Amino acid sequence: MYTLSSKLKLTAIIFMIVGAIGLVYGFIAAPSTIEDVKEMMASKGHHESAEAEVVEQDSHAMASEHAQEGHAMVGQHEAEGHGEAEAHGDEHYEHVLHQLQNKPWAALYVAAFFFFMISLATLAFYAIQYAAQAGWSPVLFRVMEGITAYLLPGSLIVFAILLLSGLHLNHLFVWMDPEVVAKDELIQHKSSFLNVPFFLLRAAIYIIGWNIFRYLLRRNSLRIDEATDGRYFKQSFKLAAGFLVFFLVSESMMSWDWIMSVDPHWFSTLFGWYVFASMIVSAVTVIALISMYLKSRGYLEYVNDSHIHDLAKFMFGFSIFWTYLWFSQFMLIWYSNIPEEVTYFITRIEDYNIAFFGMVVMNFVFPVLILMNSDYKRINLFVIMGGIIILLGHYLDIFVMIMPATVGKEWFIGIPEISALLFFGGLFVFVVFNALTKAPLLPKRNPFIKESQHFHY
Amino acid sequence: MASKVIHAIYTDDDLLLQAVKQVRDARYHIAEVYTPFPVHGLDKAMGLAPTRLAIASFLYGLVGMTVAITMMNFIMIEDWPQDIGGKPSFSFLQNLPAFVPIIFELTVFFAAHLMVITFYMRSRIWPFKTAENPDVRTTDDHFLMEIDAENHDVDGLSKFLYDTGALEIKLIDNK
């Protein structure tokens, strides 16, 4: 049995408290009126440049007026923009105000989603192991189950944020704003899908579905320990297969709903896969990190460097898979350069250059170089190094998906962002390690457990 | 110099593996082992050095990448930078995404093919090469261990091999 060390518990609680304080500060520091924004900008002294940026930043608001011409017009506006800028100066400040008000919300949302997606994808990975009848992984099942314990609180928090958006407490999703929709024909055409009640209903269905599957799989896993026959294992096999079918559909729709819809003018067909790749690689990384931690504390007797080697292979492979999808999405849009699609990447390359390309280095170049060598995959230090970079890289990935549409140019990884990360990181560690104490770390009667104990590569 | 070798034939891979360990423990020198299929762990038991083929492959991949980058940069950017459908041929970086599929494929192409050719060369395999098989049964269901007789006591060595489970033990004049 694993016992939660008080040091770890204390660290997690401190993270949560510090994070919560930082988040509260982030919400207080966000400006509440246009005058605040003007003051802030004046004190920062980038008033002049701000005015030149007006048109670009307003492309969102503009798009509603010029829905038909859409973003194609932005370029032309830029040329004649300076004259117009004076005319709707206040409009610009209002726009910046919304972005600044979004900042703490978006920071909260990105971090909440990031940790939630780790536990969800861990459940998917866990189900894959069951469905594929993997012989190497059963000694890691309890670690995976522990990570999926965060699914319930994590998904409820994400749901709460979506609910608050639906109640118009923030502007994360522009299509939720009736004023915007009234002027925006493009969104109007999508409103049969993108409307708040249906959106929340869908979110509730995904969340309930995932959590039920998680509950049943965990319950079966504990029952297998006590059983005298293979009934519950067979049940778990069927459950896992069923979950994977449900997951594939719900994950794809979840990514449209929760992530793609922050840019309601843009769409991409492989987006669900892309988000999935990001999820699964983070999940495998977290499984590896937690396994190595528990192993170093002497709790996982049968986990050897071959198990870590396998996990590192998955980290390596899924990193490349992520890059493949990232590039496929980017290159197809870059190549054809259709205005209605390409704005997505133009804003990211222009305003998020370091984050956008930095994450490719972190999620691809670094893992490829560090985890290619078969010997390195057995060395904890290398896997930990690679893992931390991968996790940071995928946080950045989610960041770059959400931020451009919600805070635009006002992005910065400052107090609200780091605090949110600390808060959810602390909560994640607290919930996961608490769940690990609930059951023995070695499953007893799993049909593959012997093979797994002697697994060596 | 006519040296002599002993051929010991086994019919079971587990037995062979055990024998290899015993023979090495007794400090006899195993010249070669012939098996009809890869015996897992044989190389370790024989104490063979790990292959460096993967490292060679990585380097070949880097060569392929360099070839692709140099080629595309020269052709598309330096030699004749045309405007083809509005693609930005001003610098390599600007048009990089269009080149990535080629860079990728050539990297894989070089890594794979040069590694295979390296393997052939290092293993001395080519068409029309005379087979070096001491006993045809080793390609079907027999395992053969070749041990240098050198100046060992042949009878004692045969007895030792017999005890390890060898089915046939033959003294052969080498070359």
Side-chain angles (χ1 to χ4, degrees):
Chain A
M1 269 315 240
Y2 172 69
T3 44
L4 185 57
S5 71
S6 58
K7 225 192 237 169
L8 194 68
K9 201 171 172 180
L10 195 66
T11 316
I13 290 172
I14 289 172
F15 269 44
M16 277 192 273
I17 292 172
V18 171
I21 292 171
L23 270 174
V24 170
Y25 166 80
F27 279 103
I28 292 171
S32 50
T33 61
I34 294 179
E35 275 60 45
D36 289 347
V37 177
K38 284 181 180 168
E39 227 171 87
M40 270 169 81
M41 289 198 142
S43 67
K44 272 187 194 162
H46 69 46
H47 186 84
E48 285 304 310
S49 63
E51 221 157 324
E53 289 162 9
V54 162
V55 176
E56 258 181 296
Q57 288 191 329
D58 270 1
S59 63
H60 251 89
M62 287 276 201
S64 49
E65 290 161 32
H66 307 277
Q68 264 78 15
E69 300 99 328
H71 293 288
M73 295 291 283
V74 174
Q76 289 174 30
H77 274 291
E78 218 160 337
E80 48 192 81
H82 290 273
E84 271 179 51
E86 297 295 335
H88 50 91
D90 266 9
E91 221 172 283
H92 161 61
Y93 286 118
E94 201 182 323
H95 189 64
V96 175
L97 172 69
H98 282 174
Q99 294 187 327
L100 289 173
Q101 281 178 335
N102 264 343
K103 254 192 88 172
W105 282 103
L108 187 75
Y109 185 52
V110 169
F113 182 83
F114 177 68
F115 284 100
F116 149 78
M117 82 174 189
I118 289 173
S119 65
L120 178 60
T122 304
L123 186 60
F125 190 73
Y126 177 70
I128 290 171
Q129 302 302 308
Y130 261 114
Q133 307 198 348
W136 65 278
S137 51
V139 290
L140 298 170
F141 275 2
R142 286 291 143 79
V143 177
M144 297 184 205
E145 284 165 21
I147 298 170
T148 57
Y150 182 75
L151 185 61
L152 182 64
S155 56
L156 288 180
I157 290 169
V158 171
F159 187 78
I161 297 173
L162 298 177
L163 188 70
L164 293 177
S165 300
L167 296 172
H168 307 299
L169 287 174
N170 59 51
H171 299 272
L172 287 181
F173 300 89
V174 273
W175 58 264
M176 285 181 177
D177 192 341
E179 278 176 40
V180 173
V181 178
K183 281 187 274 176
D184 192 324
E185 217 171 314
L186 280 176
I187 300 180
Q188 281 167 24
H189 285 302
K190 298 182 181 182
S191 57
S192 53
F193 189 76
L194 289 181
N195 60 74
V196 176
F198 189 33
F199 175 81
L200 290 177
L201 176 72
R202 284 195 307 266
I205 291 171
Y206 315 143
I207 287 173
I208 292 169
W210 298 328
N211 279 298
I212 287 177
F213 273 111
R214 192 268 161 188
Y215 171 76
L216 293 175
L217 277 165
R218 166 74 167 181
R219 192 182 62 174
N220 258 13
S221 170
L222 295 179
R223 278 182 178 173
I224 290 169
D225 274 9
E226 311 300 329
T228 49
D229 54 11
R231 218 177 98 216
Y232 293 116
F233 180 78
K234 281 187 183 169
Q235 230 171 63
S236 277
F237 176 82
K238 285 176 196 156
L239 269 174
F243 170 73
L244 287 172
V245 173
F246 175 73
F247 173 76
L248 216 62
V249 177
S250 58
E251 188 274 335
S252 190
M253 292 185 72
M254 174 271 277
S255 72
W256 311 335
D257 279 358
W258 298 1
I259 299 184
M260 200 156 79
S261 85
V262 294
D263 288 290
H265 287 169
W266 182 79
F267 50 85
S268 162
T269 37
L270 61 67
F271 197 75
W273 280 108
Y274 173 61
V275 173
F276 169 73
S278 204
M279 291 168 73
I280 195 95
V281 67
S282 317
V284 174
T285 304
V286 169
I287 296 170
L289 292 181
I290 293 183
S291 304
M292 279 185 285
Y293 171 79
L294 291 173
K295 174 78 185 166
S296 73
R297 288 280 173 278
Y299 287 108
L300 293 172
E301 191 190 338
Y302 291 101
V303 172
N304 54 38
D305 60 355
S306 290
H307 292 105
I308 302 301
H309 187 271
D310 261 28
L311 286 170
K313 265 188 286 192
F314 272 113
M315 283 159 65
F316 177 77
F318 281 133
S319 285
I320 292 172
F321 178 61
W322 175 87
T323 315
Y324 171 65
L325 292 175
W326 175 84
F327 183 71
S328 300
Q329 180 170 280
F330 172 70
M331 196 260 232
L332 283 184
I333 290 173
W334 173 87
Y335 208 104
S336 58
N337 203 17
I338 301 170
E340 68 183 62
E341 289 175 351
V342 86
T343 45
Y344 184 81
F345 285 114
I346 286 180
T347 50
R348 275 155 184 81
I349 290 173
E350 281 179 356
D351 303 341
Y352 289 73
N353 202 290
I354 293 172
F356 185 65
F357 291 110
M359 83 182 176
V360 181
V361 174
M362 291 166 84
N363 293 338
F364 175 62
V365 180
F366 194 81
V368 159
L369 291 180
I370 213 169
L371 292 176
M372 175 144 17
N373 190 317
S374 183
D375 294 330
Y376 288 1
K377 286 195 274 260
R378 292 171 190 283
I379 300 171
N380 282 359
L381 179 70
F382 282 102
V383 182
I384 290 170
M385 250 164 41
I388 288 171
I389 299 289
I390 287 174
L391 284 181
L392 290 176
H394 285 283
Y395 170 76
L396 218 52
D397 185 18
I398 306 297
F399 188 86
V400 173
M401 286 187 215
I402 299 288
M403 289 296 176
T406 50
V407 305
K409 273 188 180 158
E410 306 302 323
W411 76 280
F412 188 68
I413 299 189
I415 292 174
E417 286 79 9
I418 293 171
S419 307
L421 210 51
L422 284 181
F423 176 76
F424 286 106
L427 185 67
F428 182 82
V429 168
F430 186 77
V431 172
V432 168
F433 282 86
N434 222 12
L436 286 172
T437 62
K438 297 285 191 282
L441 288 180
L442 185 69
K444 249 179 274 164
R445 287 194 68 265
N446 187 299
F448 295 101
I449 194 73
K450 266 278 171 307
E451 183 183 343
S452 178
Q453 284 171 359
H454 299 292
F455 172 72
H456 105 111
Y457 168 72
Chain B
M1 197 184 100
S3 70
K4 298 197 173 212
V5 291
I6 286 186
H7 283 177
I9 290 186
Y10 298 83
T11 48
D12 186 277
D13 51 336
D14 283 334
L15 217 55
L16 172 80
L17 216 53
Q18 199 107 58
V20 165
K21 279 175 196 150
Q22 287 171 355
V23 170
R24 286 197 74 220
D25 283 345
R27 303 212 162 270
Y28 291 114
H29 180 248
I30 300 174
E32 193 65 85
V33 175
Y34 297 88
T35 63
F37 54 79
V39 177
H40 191 73
L42 185 62
D43 53 338
K44 250 195 198 128
M46 287 173 69
L48 299 181
T51 172
R52 289 167 296 180
L53 216 48
I55 297 168
S57 179
F58 179 73
L59 297 176
Y60 296 146
L62 291 184
V63 172
M65 200 160 106
T66 315
V67 167
I69 290 172
T70 319
M71 180 177 79
M72 298 315 289
N73 186 45
F74 176 72
I75 296 172
M76 301 302 290
I77 309 296
E78 281 172 13
D79 191 36
W80 199 338
Q82 287 186 96
D83 182 343
I84 303 167
K87 285 278 161 290
S89 329
F90 308 110
S91 76
F92 184 75
L93 225 51
Q94 270 181 310
N95 213 358
L96 176 63
F99 304 146
V100 165
I102 297 158
I103 296 173
F104 171 75
E105 293 293 349
L106 278 180
T107 307
V108 174
F109 180 86
F110 272 64
H113 288 82
L114 291 181
M115 175 177 70
V116 168
I117 292 169
T118 308
F119 169 71
Y120 286 156
M121 284 165 58
R122 293 290 291 147
S123 315
R124 315 187 141 269
I125 307 176
W126 52 82
F128 310 113
K129 147 139 187 165
T130 354
E132 295 167 346
N133 216 318
D135 191 319
V136 285
R137 289 173 301 170
T138 57
T139 61
D140 184 15
D141 61 348
H142 282 55
F143 303 83
L144 190 151
M145 193 193 321
E146 187 178 284
I147 302 150
D148 287 335
E150 292 170 19
N151 37 18
H152 296 300
D153 163 28
V154 174
D155 285 339
L157 181 52
S158 311
K159 175 80 179 61
F160 175 79
L161 287 171
Y162 180 76
D163 288 341
T164 60
L167 203 72
E168 282 177 37
I169 300 163
K170 277 190 266 180
L171 186 66
I172 305 263
D173 278 326
N174 210 3
K175 311 271 149 64

